Amino acid sequence: MRYLISSTIWSLTVLSSCLTASPSSTRSSASLSLQFPQHPSSEPNHAGRPILSRIKDNIVRILWDSPSILSNSPAIKLSTPIPKPPSKLLGRYGGDVVLRFKIKSAEEAEALVEATKVLFLDVWEFTPEWVDIRLSKDVVPSLLGLLPPSLQYSHSPLIHDLAQAVFDSYPSPAFVDVFPSARADHRTFSTSLRSSSDQKNIFFHDYQPLSVIVPWMRLLQSLFPTHVRMISVGVSYEGRDIPALQIGVHSTNAEKPSSPHKSIIIAGGSHAREWISTSSVNYVAYSLITAYGKSKSVTTLLENFDWIFIPTLNPDGYVYTWENDRLWRKNRQQTNLRFCRGVDLDRAYSFEWDEESSRNNPCSESFSGEGPFEGVEAWRFASWVRNQTKNHNVEFVGFLDLHSYSQQILYPYSYTCTSAPPSLENLEELAIGLAKAIRLSGGETYGVTSACEGSVAPARKGKKDQEVYPRIETGGGSALDWFYHEAHVRYAYQIKLRDTGSYGFLLPSENIVPTGKEVLGAIMYFGAFLLGNKGIEVDDEMLDPPTAANEKLRKSGNGDKTTEELKSISWELRRRRR
């Protein structure tokens, strides 16, 4: 019966896409920009809800005869009014919630997997203990009706008002005039990471759009040309560069034999909505750049490795989260179903690509494409890696793929739990060290496990006859496995950052610097480990490095050029916050 219902919903969804989608409507949606009026209407506008979501929800209500459970109770009046989301956000997210289901048996996991497929639900995150799901309040009764009694009473709400949570995740519209032109000393742009300076450091005060990140990267290159170079690791589906910062110092001794340049990749933003991964990549890059020559440990790392920092491997999707849908996950390329765009870039790599998982459902959040490397950005990034290795004397020795959320450090393999990687003990040893470094840096606890156990879990740990839970989503085709197995990167990890579910992908901006410091502690340990130091050492100077950019601004002979770049960033920041 469930398969019949699922097929019915899917058929009607495809039919609706053919009837409702048109080039003009697509262009209109793509050009939509979010506005933040000071006194927006607080009334939900369900007419603005995406057509596919409304059709799906209505079909579910018809098939299960589910009543609407939208609350009609009066709102609590507060002495200080809280800014409300504008109608466009209410139209897209109004009435949506995020629920957490606690899983205790394989039967419960199987039932939840089937229900999410039947209802086409957005699974936010999962661990061996719980699964977070976003859905409309109207669909909650339908979901519970498909679950066993034990799960019907084993869930709790994480986010009651998704529209408000999305609205709160954007930079404050009141935060303007970030680079006053009257300030001749430009001290508002400071690369000091001391706690006292964090409030003045505008760039990490809020999440930043790509239109701010790119000129900021250019500025760092111009301020620190001795050890910073801005590069591109590919071009996106929509034609954007995938920008990166290459940080390192090479020996100028021509008589010394040229050995391969050992390189480490730190990447974020494969999934567009995971903004904290992008900001963390920027924070760590920024920290290493400004601490070079000031911190002995950082100087050593930059002299021994090339560091490639990629803020977002999915620039099209990242831009789309700022201008249209904050919770967009995939890239933005066209699929075989015109109404459903995007490929999950972390399921698009060739190694153990899962042919059956979501191939027939382009609307799935984990759609892996029609074939390996169909995701444009994944293919071009992998091609860049191969070219560097083959033609530019580069040896990639580390790969850290930042995601959110759930606070986990995951090592290969992702595609299966039945095959162990050859260097399992080394991978586990370094992963445990990374978790300890994070705990020493910020006090947060990160779990350590194989990536496959994020989607399946043993019910009886410590026994050979472990009961394995069914997958919530496929683990094949991951960047983690491809880098480890195909690119032969010995130490490859996926790190899922803060938090553990209170905010999920909508982590408040107050967490940018603390999370960045946690990742910085992990990166410092990672580099030290590769150099042979396998103990834990906290570099206080690194966590609070001296100011470098202001010093550069005073001494640089390109003061006028730098001033213009600062003004350009300032203008873009002000424009985005209006």
Side-chain angles (χ1 to χ4, degrees), residues 366-387:
S366 57
F367 177 58
S368 57
E370 292 293 312
F373 276 129
E374 185 171 281
V376 170
E377 293 82 359
W379 163 248
R380 289 174 178 168
F381 178 42
S383 298
W384 177 85
V385 170
R386 292 194 190 102
N387 181 56

Side-chain angles (χ1 to χ4, degrees), residues 139-269:
V139 179
V140 172
S142 303
L143 173 60
L144 297 181
L146 294 174
L147 301 178
S150 57
L151 273 182
Q152 293 179 10
Y153 301 97
S154 184
H155 67 276
S156 58
L158 290 181
I159 299 178
H160 297 266
D161 186 346
L162 189 60
Q164 184 68 51
V166 167
F167 178 67
D168 292 342
S169 74
Y170 284 99
S172 169
F175 196 64
V176 295
D177 296 329
V178 292
F179 290 113
S181 58
R183 296 286 296 276
D185 58 1
H186 299 289
R187 289 180 183 175
T188 49
F189 179 81
S190 170
T191 55
S192 171
L193 300 181
R194 297 182 185 275
S195 298
S196 60
S197 300
D198 286 338
Q199 296 302 318
K200 297 181 181 180
N201 195 332
I202 293 299
F203 191 80
F204 296 109
H205 185 279
D206 276 315
Y207 296 105
Q208 303 298 346
L210 192 65
S211 57
V212 169
I213 292 174
V214 171
W216 174 81
M217 296 170 73
R218 293 196 190 103
L219 178 59
L220 289 177
Q221 175 184 237
S222 67
L223 287 175
F224 305 95
T226 58
H227 55 285
V228 180
R229 188 161 68 97
M230 187 173 176
I231 62 174
S232 172
V233 299
V235 179
S236 72
Y237 173 79
E238 294 180 348
R240 294 181 176 88
D241 277 331
I242 305 174
L245 289 174
Q246 180 176 338
I247 305 169
V249 181
H250 295 164
S251 172
T252 58
N253 187 355
E255 297 179 359
K256 186 177 180 179
S258 178
S259 58
H261 299 305
K262 293 184 177 181
S263 298
I264 299 170
I265 297 175
I266 316 294

Side-chain angles (χ1 to χ4, degrees), residues 466-480:
Q466 292 178 343
E467 180 183 8
V468 177
Y469 291 3
R471 288 186 177 276
I472 300 298
E473 68 177 33
T474 179
S478 69
L480 174 67

Side-chain angles (χ1 to χ4, degrees), residues 92-93 134 170 320-328:
R92 185 178 290 276
Y93 309 109
R134 169 197 169 189
Y170 284 99
Y320 194 76
T321 62
W322 281 86
E323 297 180 352
N324 293 273
D325 183 356
R326 171 65 180 85
L327 295 175
W328 185 262

Side-chain angles (χ1 to χ4, degrees), residues 100 211 215 220 249 253 294 314 326 353 426 474 477 501 506 549 554 568:
R100 168 165 294 180
S211 57
L220 289 177
V249 181
N253 187 355
K294 307 290 184 179
N314 182 9
R326 171 65 180 85
W353 180 79
N426 292 331
T474 179
L506 305 174
R554 287 193 297 268
S568 175

